[in-house]
Amino acid sequence: QPIDRSRTIVPGLEVFKQRFSQGMQAAQEDSQLGYEQRLQLWMMQGGLNKMISENCLIKGLIGGVGGYGFGFLFGAFMAPFSSANAMRVGEHTTTRETLQATYRSTLAQSRGMARTFGPLGLTYAATECAIETYRGKTDVRNSLYAGCVSGAILGVSGGTSGMVGGCVTFAAWSTAIETFMRSSSGDFMRGEEED
């Protein structure tokens, strides 16, 4: 009786052949699907969610757009309280001139805040994602490190002391927010109830 050398030389070769043929069959079936069907299948299998949650560039872009939007709205809210952008409107100005001056002042304040919060959001989200990917953990330390890096980048114009101050401040702030969001109060705010 002849000896089957494939089983003695390479253990598991039959299992590999079987899985390989199953994979090839699945690939053939997939290639017969149209573009729209493949896209629909990819979406149903959570492809978009995985792409967003696992891609640091996309997370960074989302953080940047969110930060820009938040900064714009925050600037519009804070514009009336800012003494630096106080309007100087004369006694005999029309309502239209007053509204135009208010609009310009609010827009300038909003754009300034958006230019600050946009890069901050991008840096923080991308840095936190990269740290989380590197460490392989999702915990408060990721927020601590990402806050420090973001604060240091934001404080570059202030020199070394500005970078250190930014690092410490943003690290403390992001750690406090993350700790709160992981607490039972944060679960309640997100609408999650304890079992």
Side-chain angles (χ1 to χ4, degrees):
Q1 179 172 0
I3 299 173
D4 185 5
R5 296 201 181 267
S6 64
R7 291 179 191 224
T8 56
I9 296 174
V10 183
L13 185 62
E14 289 303 316
V15 174
F16 172 77
K17 285 181 183 178
Q18 182 182 9
R19 288 187 181 159
F20 183 77
S21 65
Q22 288 172 348
M24 290 300 289
Q25 184 179 2
Q28 275 183 332
E29 291 170 5
D30 187 46
S31 68
Q32 292 172 357
L33 295 175
Y35 173 75
E36 290 179 12
Q37 292 170 326
R38 280 186 286 183
L39 181 62
Q40 213 170 28
L41 183 64
W42 179 73
M43 295 285 280
M44 287 179 10
Q45 293 173 344
L48 183 63
N49 291 337
K50 287 180 185 176
M51 185 177 78
I52 290 171
S53 66
E54 295 175 3
N55 190 328
C56 293
L57 178 63
I58 291 176
K59 275 187 172 179
L61 290 174
I62 290 171
V65 169
Y68 191 88
F70 173 77
F72 194 85
L73 293 175
F74 187 67
F77 175 75
M78 294 301 291
F81 307 109
S82 174
S83 61
N85 285 337
M87 295 181 306
R88 292 179 180 85
V89 180
E91 281 184 40
H92 302 290
T93 57
T94 64
T95 304
R96 182 178 180 171
E97 290 171 335
T98 304
L99 287 174
Q100 286 176 342
T102 304
Y103 174 75
R104 276 190 235 113
S105 172
T106 302
L107 189 62
Q109 181 82 8
S110 295
R111 285 181 177 163
M113 288 290 212
R115 282 193 297 266
T116 299
F117 280 96
L120 180 65
L122 184 141
T123 305
Y124 180 83
T127 304
E128 185 181 35
C129 177
I131 291 169
E132 185 177 312
T133 302
Y134 176 76
R135 292 184 66 228
K137 296 179 184 178
T138 303
D139 58 7
V140 178
R141 283 187 178 182
N142 297 339
S143 297
L144 174 84
Y145 300 146
C148 180
V149 169
S150 301
I153 290 173
L154 190 64
V156 164
S157 62
T160 306
S161 61
M163 291 175 69
V164 170
C167 171
V168 170
T169 304
F170 276 92
W173 177 252
S174 60
T175 302
I177 295 294
E178 186 70 23
T179 302
F180 173 76
M181 293 306 288
R182 289 176 181 269
S183 70
S184 59
S185 300
D187 290 343
F188 176 75
M189 286 183 69
R190 288 192 308 262
E192 299 172 5
E193 296 181 16
E194 293 182 19
D195 293 330

